[in-house]
Amino acid sequence: FLRSRHFLYNTEKTQNTIEQADANMAIAAVYVHSGNVDSALICFNISMKMYQKGKSPSQYIKAGLKKNEYLRQCNKYDDSKALLTQLVDFAKNENENTLLSKIYEQLASSYFMQSDFEKTIEITFERLRIDSLLQDSVSIAEDCNSLSTNFRKQGKYIEAIAYAKKALDIFEKK
């Protein structure tokens, strides 16, 4: 913690908002590790604002994804979904498709944890569309596997088998 605080103190002198945001992320990690939920969330929020101010869209999204991981650890799924929905819009506006795929992955996971398989499937199809544009075969296979799991959870076994086969076909080609 002291190292992170020292780094933050030194970056405050430089007026570099990206370095300050990085320091706040380091402090947030310490708070996460110590279980101090409120302080961790405050640091995440400050970092996200600083990344936005410093015009670093990818860092803003990555900070949001880190914050989201912590929200899910704390079982704050509604907060998680709200944050990720905001990040989806931001990533689309910034043409950050690789990060958009990661956002969709975490959003689908949040809905899955609440057993909302229909919404999970809808979001996974969006991720599959993005991963197809990116030609990311590993992510496409993961998407197909996720769809298979969600269809199986709904008792839609024909669809589950079809997507499991697609995933296997892709993995076999690798």
Side-chain angles (χ1 to χ4, degrees):
F1 176 76
L2 290 176
R3 193 176 102 194
S4 298
R5 191 72 198 139
H6 177 73
F7 182 67
L8 180 61
Y9 172 76
N10 285 334
T11 58
E12 286 171 348
K13 294 180 198 176
T14 68
Q15 299 297 315
N16 186 326
T17 56
I18 300 299
E19 287 180 2
Q20 289 175 341
D22 291 345
N24 264 301
M25 288 299 290
I27 294 169
V30 172
Y31 284 134
V32 165
H33 185 71
S34 68
N36 190 334
V37 176
D38 293 334
S39 295
L41 293 174
I42 288 169
C43 285
F44 283 126
N45 290 338
I46 291 170
S47 292
M48 289 176 70
K49 286 178 184 173
M50 288 179 159
Y51 285 131
Q52 201 167 26
K53 181 181 175 187
K55 298 187 184 347
S56 181
S58 64
Q59 288 301 104
Y60 172 82
I61 294 168
K62 289 175 185 176
L65 290 171
K66 284 282 188 199
K67 177 182 175 183
N68 177 64
E69 288 174 13
Y70 189 56
L71 288 170
R72 286 186 12 217
Q73 285 176 7
C74 297
N75 297 320
K76 296 180 177 240
Y77 297 110
D78 290 336
D79 292 341
S80 166
K81 292 184 291 191
L83 171 63
L84 291 170
T85 300
Q86 172 193 353
L87 290 176
V88 163
D89 294 337
F90 185 81
K92 284 179 179 178
N93 289 337
E94 296 293 331
N95 292 319
E96 290 280 354
N97 285 335
T98 301
L99 290 172
L100 181 58
S101 173
K102 293 181 186 324
I103 296 166
Y104 279 136
E105 180 182 25
Q106 287 191 16
L107 187 56
S109 179
S110 289
Y111 279 101
F112 182 84
M113 296 301 288
Q114 292 185 304
S115 300
D116 188 342
F117 305 120
E118 197 64 42
K119 190 70 174 171
T120 303
I121 289 169
E122 176 187 325
I123 293 164
T124 303
F125 274 124
E126 277 299 307
R127 181 175 185 233
L128 178 59
R129 184 182 64 76
I130 296 295
D131 291 336
S132 296
L133 290 173
L134 295 169
Q135 298 178 346
D136 183 347
S137 60
V138 171
S139 292
I140 292 168
E142 290 172 353
D143 298 340
C144 290
N145 193 46
S146 177
L147 288 167
S148 175
T149 299
N150 283 281
F151 281 125
R152 181 179 48 81
K153 291 277 190 182
Q154 289 184 318
K156 297 179 180 178
Y157 301 113
I158 293 171
E159 293 92 337
I161 291 169
Y163 280 100
K165 285 181 180 179
K166 285 182 185 182
L168 284 172
D169 288 345
I170 294 168
F171 282 128
E172 286 175 354
K173 290 177 185 175
K174 284 284 161 194

